[in-house]
Amino acid sequence: MGRPEKPIPDPVSPLGTLAVALRIGRRSAGLSYAELAERTRSVSPGTLQRAASGAVLPRRDVAQAFARACGMDVDDITRLWHAAYRGSLGGRSAGRSREAEPRPDLVQDMHGLCTALKVLRQANGAPSFRMMERRARATGRDLSRSTASRIVTGKQEPASTDCLEAFLVACQVAPRDRTVWFDAWLRVQRHAASARQDADRRREELAQLESVVADTSRGQVSQQAAVRMLRRAGFDAQERYRHFDAPWSVECVQCGSTFRLRLSDVVLTRATCPDCPKLNEHVREAWAELLTNPSGSLSRQLMRALRAATVLPARLQRDHLDVPVFVADRTTLRTLLSPAWHPALEEALRRHIRRPFYLDVLLVHDYDTMPASRNGNRHLRLAKGAGLVDSPLEISPPVKRRDATSADAALTATTGSLKPTSNSGA
C-alpha cells in the first residue's frame, strides 16, 4: 500500500476543485499513478501525481489525458482546468484575468504579435516546445522547438503564414479562429515595411544635411569640424567622433554633466543638456529656502537685504558654481558685500545639488544710470523683460535718487551695463 497523498492546499479554490475531481476519478477507477501512466502512454506517474496535488496547475493535455485514463468526462475536466487557469493566471492575481486573453485584433507590430502568441500558448496550458513540435508535425506542418521558443520569447516573429499556422495548430486553435491571427500577421508586415521606409528616408535626409555642413570632399564631417560644432553648441567631446548620426558622449560646458547626443541633433539645434534646467530650478529652491532663514543664523539686516535681491540664472562650469545676484540699491549692496551669508547659501545649495562644487557669488549691479520711479523698482521690471532676471522672489522697497534718467537709458543699463562684483574671494 502506497503512502497517502498530501492534503490539497486549498480544496475550495478553482485549482483545488480540479485536483479534487482528478483524485476522485482516480480512486473511482481504482488505479495507481503507475497504472494510470501506462494507460496514458505519454505522461509519467510523477507528472500525473503533481496534476492532482492542487499545488501547481497542470497542462491542459495532461489533465485531459488523466481524465481519459480514468474514464471521466473530459469536457468537465477541461472546464475545470480553464476555471483553474483563469484563477491562477500563471501566478498572477485573478483580478487581471482579462490580460490573459490573447487579443490578435489589437496587434500592430512584431512585439505585440509575439506577446499575443505567448499568451495564447499559456491559455492552451503552456505545452512544452517538444509537444508543440509533435502537434504541428502530426498535421503535416513544420514547427521546430527552437522556432517556437524564439517566437514566445519575442526574438523572432513567424516568418510566414505557414509558420504562424503551425504555431496555431500547436496551440490547438480551431481553423475558424485562425483568420484573425493571419490579419494580425499582415498588419505586422505592413508596419515593418513602413518602418523600413521611414528609416531609409531619414538616412537620406541626414546624408543630405551632412553634405551641406561637411568640410571634406567625401561629403562627411571630419573630427575637427565635429568638435568645433560641438563646442559652439556648448559641449565638449568625451570620446572620438564616429558618425554624423551616431551617439556621442559629451560634457556640458554649462553644468559639467555628461550624456550622449548626436551631431545631427546639434546641427538641427535639437541638442540640449538635460541637467541645465534642473540646475537653475535647484538654485531657486535653495534661494527660497535661504530666505526662510532655517538655521536662524542670519541677522534681520541680512535677511532684509537678501529679500531685496534677486537670484539670476546660475552657471556650473566644471566644478565651479557661479550664482549671480541682482542687487537693486547701494544699501543692499553694502550689506551683501559681507560674506557672512555665504555659508548658509552654500548649505542650502548642497541640499539641492547632489554634486561637489565650489561656490562663487556674483553681485550684479549698476547705479550710475539707475532711474528713479514713483512706484519704485522699475529697473527690476526692465531687467526681467530683458531676460536678465530669472524669477524675482521679492521686490525691494522703492529707492529715491537725485540723478534720474529716462526709461530708455534704464533698459540700456540693464541689458548692457550691469557690473558683476564677486564677493567670494579673488
Side-chain angles (χ1 to χ4, degrees), residues 256-271:
S257 62
T258 58
F259 56 97
R260 293 172 73 81
L261 52 74
R262 291 175 169 84
L263 185 61
S264 58
D265 291 333
V266 173
V267 174
L268 294 171
T269 65
R270 294 188 306 206

Side-chain angles (χ1 to χ4, degrees), residues 19-36:
V20 169
L22 294 176
R23 289 189 180 187
I24 292 175
R26 184 183 69 85
R27 291 170 185 169
S28 299
L31 300 172
S32 66
Y33 284 109
E35 295 170 339
L36 197 60

Side-chain angles (χ1 to χ4, degrees), residues 135-176:
R135 289 176 179 176
R137 187 178 299 170
T139 60
R141 293 174 175 84
D142 184 22
L143 179 70
S144 65
R145 285 170 286 172
S146 58
T147 299
S149 174
R150 287 196 295 269
I151 291 175
V152 170
T153 56
K155 297 178 181 178
Q156 172 188 330
E157 66 177 9
S160 62
T161 54
D162 292 338
C163 180
L164 174 62
E165 188 172 17
F167 192 97
L168 298 177
V169 168
C171 292
Q172 298 180 326
V173 178
R176 64 178 180 275

Side-chain angles (χ1 to χ4, degrees), residues 157-293:
E157 66 177 9
S160 62
T161 54
D162 292 338
C163 180
L164 174 62
E165 188 172 17
F167 192 97
L168 298 177
V169 168
C171 292
Q172 298 180 326
V173 178
R176 64 178 180 275
D177 297 331
R178 298 173 191 171
T179 303
V180 66
W181 290 98
F182 295 143
D183 293 340
W185 185 86
L186 290 175
R187 284 198 302 273
V188 170
Q189 302 310 309
R190 287 194 293 268
H191 180 273
S194 177
R196 286 192 296 268
Q197 291 176 359
D198 292 343
D200 293 341
R201 189 182 305 112
R202 184 176 185 275
R203 281 194 295 268
E204 183 179 353
E205 292 174 353
L206 289 178
Q208 294 176 356
L209 178 62
E210 185 178 12
S211 64
V212 172
V213 299
D215 59 333
T216 62
S217 58
R218 295 178 298 173
Q220 297 177 349
V221 179
S222 65
Q223 166 78 19
Q224 294 77 12
V227 171
R228 287 197 301 270
M229 294 179 192
L230 200 65
R231 286 177 178 170
R232 281 198 297 269
F235 308 107
D236 281 339
Q238 297 298 297
E239 62 180 352
R240 229 184 133 70
Y241 169 74
R242 297 194 306 273
H243 188 265
F244 191 65
D245 197 43
W248 197 5
S249 296
V250 301
E251 180 184 50
C252 178
V253 176
Q254 180 80 7
C255 67
S257 62
T258 58
F259 56 97
R260 293 172 73 81
L261 52 74
R262 291 175 169 84
L263 185 61
S264 58
D265 291 333
V266 173
V267 174
L268 294 171
T269 65
R270 294 188 306 206
T272 57
C273 175
D275 289 342
C276 281
K278 298 178 184 178
L279 170 66
N280 287 303
E281 181 181 352
H282 294 329
V283 171
R284 288 195 297 269
E285 292 172 353
W287 185 264
E289 181 180 325
L290 175 68
L291 296 184
T292 63
N293 194 14

